[in-house]
């Protein structure tokens, strides 16, 4: 999503969608003793940031990779389900042959469709706030899939960089 949407979301209580200070916010600031000059300075600094982010959105938009719930299905689930959460016909045929009941198949499909719908709803909600939910989930998944050796090397680098011990993935005294 755009930087400007994130800016608007961060400052929506005090600023309009065009980056101008809301009159109610100005009145509130005056009521707590801020001077007009201080308020104008604050408003102009944030408006400058708004203009900068708007310009960046127009000239250098941030990449926004699109991930669907299907991208997070396991390989087994991809063999069984379509991207919308419905069961694949070939899986239904196979499941019937091995004795899985129609009710069980319907329940499997119902549950997977709920997962897909929930993902889509959450993703849309995050997008309205300027956050790419799918990209952040994919980043988590990639981080989680790193091997022990990779995490160990990263921890050694973190120790050299004097990172706090509570941020390390392992106890620093672990022998190897």
């Amino acid at each position: 999503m755009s930087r400007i949407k994130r800016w608007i979301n961060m400052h929506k209580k005090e600023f309009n969608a065009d980056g101008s200070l809301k009159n109610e916010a100005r009145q509130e600031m005056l009521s707590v003793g801020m001077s007009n000059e201080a308020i104008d300075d604050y408003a102009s600094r944030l408006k400058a940031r708004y203009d900068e982010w708007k310009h960046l959105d127009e000239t250098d938009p941030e990449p926004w990779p699109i991930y669907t719930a299907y991208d997070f299905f396991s390989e087994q689930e991809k063999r069984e389900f379509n991207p919308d959460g419905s069961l694949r016909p070939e899986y239904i045929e196979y499941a019937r042959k091995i004795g899985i009941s129609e009710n069980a198949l319907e329940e499997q499909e119902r549950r997977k469709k709920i997962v897909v719908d929930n993902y889509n709803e959450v993703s849309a909600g995050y997008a309205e706030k300027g956050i790419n939910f799918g990209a952040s989930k994919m980043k988590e998944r990639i981080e989680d899939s790193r091997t022990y050796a990779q995490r160990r090397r990263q921890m050694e680098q973190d120790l050299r960089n004097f990172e706090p011990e509570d941020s390390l993935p392992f106890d620093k005294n672990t022998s190897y």
Side-chain angles (χ1 to χ4, degrees):
M1 196 52 69
S2 70
R3 294 171 184 97
I4 211 62
K5 274 195 174 185
R6 282 198 310 276
W7 188 96
I8 291 168
N9 191 52
M10 289 186 304
H11 301 289
K12 64 185 168 193
K13 290 181 183 175
E14 296 178 322
F15 290 85
N16 296 308
D18 66 356
S20 62
L21 184 66
K22 290 181 178 179
N23 192 43
E24 311 88 70
R26 176 177 289 281
Q27 295 308 315
E28 176 68 25
M29 291 175 197
L30 286 169
S31 74
V32 295
M34 284 182 74
S35 68
N36 274 318
E37 295 79 21
I39 295 169
D40 290 343
D41 180 60
Y42 172 71
S44 68
R45 282 186 285 117
L46 267 75
K47 176 69 166 130
R49 176 63 56 92
Y50 171 92
D51 291 340
E52 176 188 352
W53 284 18
K54 185 173 187 207
H55 176 71
L56 283 171
D57 279 348
E58 293 165 355
T59 60
D60 185 23
E62 292 180 313
W64 190 270
I66 304 296
Y67 293 99
T68 66
Y70 188 74
D71 294 314
F72 299 96
F73 286 9
S74 68
E75 289 308 311
Q76 178 67 34
E77 290 171 323
K78 286 179 179 180
R79 287 190 292 276
E80 296 172 4
F81 295 96
N82 293 309
D84 68 350
S86 61
L87 287 169
R88 292 185 178 277
E90 56 274 15
Y91 175 73
I92 293 172
E93 185 180 317
Y94 164 76
R96 286 180 180 148
K97 284 181 183 175
I98 63 169
I100 297 176
S101 72
E102 282 298 315
N103 287 343
L105 290 172
E106 288 171 7
E107 182 63 16
Q108 271 185 303
E109 185 173 87
R110 184 186 74 78
R111 287 179 182 206
K112 188 53 77 175
K113 283 184 175 185
I114 288 171
V115 167
V116 170
D117 291 344
N118 286 343
Y119 175 91
N120 292 338
E121 188 176 317
V122 169
S123 185
Y126 273 69
E128 287 176 13
K129 298 175 185 170
I131 300 167
N132 188 329
F133 177 72
S136 63
K137 275 195 69 80
M138 188 59 73
K139 184 178 176 183
E140 284 176 22
R141 178 176 263 196
I142 290 166
E143 284 296 315
D144 289 347
S145 69
R146 289 172 54 192
T147 66
Y148 172 83
Q150 290 169 319
R151 284 187 260 168
R152 182 73 194 180
R153 280 192 302 276
Q154 181 62 51
M155 187 178 103
E156 290 167 0
Q157 179 66 47
D158 291 345
L159 284 169
R160 287 191 296 273
N161 291 336
F162 303 103
E163 296 290 333
E165 285 187 37
D166 61 351
S167 72
L168 301 174
F170 310 111
D171 180 349
K172 76 175 190 172
N173 297 318
T174 302
S175 60
Y176 52 98

